[in-house]
Amino acid sequence: MIIRWKVQPDDCSFRETYLKCSEYVMANQPLTYFCTDLTLIGSLEREYEAWLAIEFYPEFYRKIQKTIYAAVVFSEDHFKALIVNYQLPADSQAHAAIHFNYFTSQEEAWFWLESIKKGHDTAVLPMAHEFLI
């Protein structure tokens, strides 16, 4: 599943998008490979990242009880800025069942997700599940 943000979301649309994705996953399990493309909008608001980390991810994992792999795609400049200013969050171990990796191209992100998927089973990675916002 991919969420490709085309415009910076407001609080309501941001939460609604993730909650709809969660509902979709619950109806179509075992979907555990995700990609969020931020290349067009840059960083998410800190409040959005906090909501994901504190509320959404723990609840989502509680519901599906499966390891989750998430690729995040940034623009080249955004990625460089993150590397320069990166600080390890205090709760970095809080989501041990959610594995994140960061990329500057969607193709690299899909390659990583496909590699993980191939290591787990022989099913084809479902690339048709795309939410364009």
Side-chain angles (χ1 to χ4, degrees):
M1 177 181 292
I2 182 169
I3 298 174
R4 183 178 301 128
W5 295 100
K6 292 188 172 195
V7 296
Q8 188 68 244
D10 61 29
D11 187 60
C12 183
S13 62
F14 179 79
R15 289 174 190 241
E16 183 178 308
T17 298
Y18 275 91
L19 293 173
K20 283 184 179 181
C21 289
S22 176
E23 289 172 13
Y24 181 86
V25 169
M26 296 308 297
N28 296 282
Q29 283 197 33
L31 187 59
T32 58
Y33 302 89
F34 304 91
C35 182
T36 300
D37 188 337
L38 302 172
T39 55
L40 296 177
I41 66 164
S43 298
L44 292 174
E45 299 290 330
R46 289 198 187 275
E47 301 84 47
Y48 300 170
E49 291 180 3
W51 178 78
L52 288 171
I54 295 167
E55 295 180 42
F56 181 79
Y57 295 142
E59 180 64 17
F60 185 67
Y61 177 74
R62 187 189 66 71
K63 288 178 182 176
I64 68 169
Q65 291 293 305
K66 296 182 180 176
T67 302
I68 299 162
Y69 297 90
V72 182
V73 184
F74 299 110
S75 69
E76 190 75 35
D77 289 338
H78 184 192
F79 188 81
K80 287 177 186 175
L82 288 172
I83 298 300
V84 170
N85 299 308
Y86 181 75
Q87 294 180 9
L88 185 63
D91 66 340
S92 62
Q93 296 301 316
H95 307 294
I98 303 173
H99 302 279
F100 290 93
N101 206 345
Y102 305 93
F103 303 91
T104 57
S105 83
Q106 191 172 338
E107 292 77 20
E108 291 173 347
W110 281 118
F111 180 79
W112 177 71
L113 290 169
E114 288 172 345
S115 298
I116 298 294
K117 178 86 171 141
K118 286 178 186 174
H120 292 157
D121 59 38
T122 58
V124 176
L125 179 67
M127 295 179 69
H129 309 298
E130 184 168 355
F131 290 86
L132 299 176
I133 307 301

